[in-house]
Amino acid sequence: MNLPDPLDRHALAELARDVAEQAGRLIVQGRPDRLEVSSKSSRRDIVTEMDQRAQDALCEALAAARPDDAILGEEQGGRPGTSGLTWVLDPIDGTVNYLYGLSPFSVSVAVVEGDPTTWGRWSPLAGAVVIPPVGLTYLATLGGGAMVQDAHGAREVRASSAAELSMALVATGFAYGAELRCVQTRAFVEIIPKVRDIRRTGSAAADLCWVADGRLDGYFEAGLHAWDVAAGQLIATEAGAVLHGLGDEVPNGDLYAMSAPGISADFAALLRSAHRSS
Ligand code: IPD
């Protein structure tokens, strides 16, 4: 497949940003007083009516603008395509924060080539993450850098210059399943004495954007899916952050990590040893 040329990638990123911002307005302004909630993989893994409404709105806008592309979303819906490109959507990343009225929650929209249902078989070409509670929109194109837009305008983002793991502020998240959570907490116990501190924001997409702009020095989690990370991954790597997984393999459901370049070797070694012994 021929990659879209850089100009087209820029147009794809602008489309990702526009539809993500529309969905961001919908989930904030359209939130009903009483939110309907149902569960997915476990009673703790929830979906609200606004996740589904936001995904439906994203699908409608993308299908109108890019009728030949496939769509894969976290919620129900989606469509096959013929172009070789797939839009990967998380209409609300941080649904539990959204339910409880906490920040952050985000809308994540990426366009990838390859098969986004299998780790290691897809790569993002353009993407945007909108974080409505803090008024931030991040976007990136492959080879074109990453930017953040806020009320004051737009600027390029760069990962932090952290060089010492013991002084690094990192974030993590926890899966909904109890068994994986036990593995994650055993690894957590190994990791927390070796870093400045660990944050659990509740939105993987926001975590990756905050590694991209240096608010965090690193991020790691197990049990993620492409829709949690596709846009944030491109934003972070275009900002100079380093992507890693367990061993030499690409990141996958066992471990997904991103960090500032100056700590990436030490962070990867710590995460691997902590997860292998857990
Ligand atoms: C969740 C968030 C959270 C992470 C979970 C994800 P969702 O996504 O990204 O930070 O720890 O693993 O499932 O369910 O709110 O879209």
Side-chain angles (χ1 to χ4, degrees):
M1 190 200 115
N2 291 329
L3 287 181
D5 73 29
L7 208 59
D8 289 343
R9 280 182 236 166
H10 189 67
L12 293 173
E14 289 190 333
L15 176 60
R17 177 200 58 201
D18 291 349
V19 297
E21 287 186 339
Q22 279 164 25
R25 285 191 289 276
L26 174 67
I27 61 179
V28 172
Q29 293 164 12
R31 179 184 169 130
D33 294 338
R34 286 174 64 90
L35 200 53
E36 270 177 42
V37 180
S38 45
S39 57
K40 299 194 287 187
S41 63
S42 75
R43 283 180 60 214
R44 296 179 186 135
D45 180 10
I46 51 148
V47 52
T48 75
E49 63 184 288
M50 294 308 293
D51 292 70
Q52 191 62 57
R53 275 184 62 193
Q55 179 163 314
D56 293 346
L58 288 166
C59 288
E60 196 183 324
L62 290 168
R66 304 273 314 175
D68 298 333
D69 298 347
I71 299 178
L72 173 73
E74 179 176 14
E75 314 308 343
Q76 285 175 20
R79 47 187 271 148
T82 54
S83 67
L85 300 183
T86 303
W87 292 86
V88 179
L89 314 175
D90 194 337
I92 305 181
D93 183 62
T95 303
V96 175
N97 279 353
Y98 180 75
L99 174 66
Y100 279 77
L102 293 173
S103 174
F105 52 83
S106 52
V107 180
S108 174
V109 176
V111 60
V112 311
E113 60 153 348
D115 172 10
T117 64
T118 309
W119 286 106
R121 296 231 177 118
W122 55 271
S123 51
L125 302 174
V129 173
V130 173
I131 315 177
V134 291
L136 296 173
T137 296
Y138 292 83
L139 74 157
T141 57
L142 182 66
M147 292 174 53
V148 62
Q149 297 175 345
D150 62 15
H152 306 293
R155 64 181 168 81
E156 202 181 318
V157 289
R158 293 304 297 164
S160 83
S161 57
E164 203 186 325
L165 185 58
S166 63
M167 296 304 289
L169 183 64
V170 304
T172 193
F174 297 99
Y176 293 110
E179 204 175 312
L180 183 51
R181 276 188 180 180
C182 290
V183 175
Q184 290 175 305
T185 43
R186 285 195 292 273
F188 187 99
V189 167
E190 301 281 317
I191 296 162
I192 194 161
K194 310 259 171 51
V195 296
R196 182 195 289 269
D197 208 343
I198 300 184
R199 296 286 179 265
R200 197 287 193 246
T201 74
S203 166
D207 289 326
L208 289 167
C209 291
W210 290 343
V211 173
D213 77 1
R215 291 169 201 235
L216 291 169
D217 300 310
Y219 164 71
F220 66 99
E221 188 166 344
L224 293 170
H225 298 92
W227 49 73
D228 297 307
V229 299
Q233 173 173 314
L234 184 65
I235 292 161
T237 53
E238 284 294 322
V242 179
L243 177 66
H244 38 109
L246 208 56
D248 295 328
E249 312 97 67
V250 285
N252 56 29
D254 295 332
L255 180 63
Y256 182 99
M258 186 73 74
S259 60
I263 59 162
S264 64
D266 290 346
F267 191 45
L270 172 62
L271 294 178
R272 285 166 190 167
S273 127
H275 284 82
R276 287 204 174 116
S277 61
S278 301

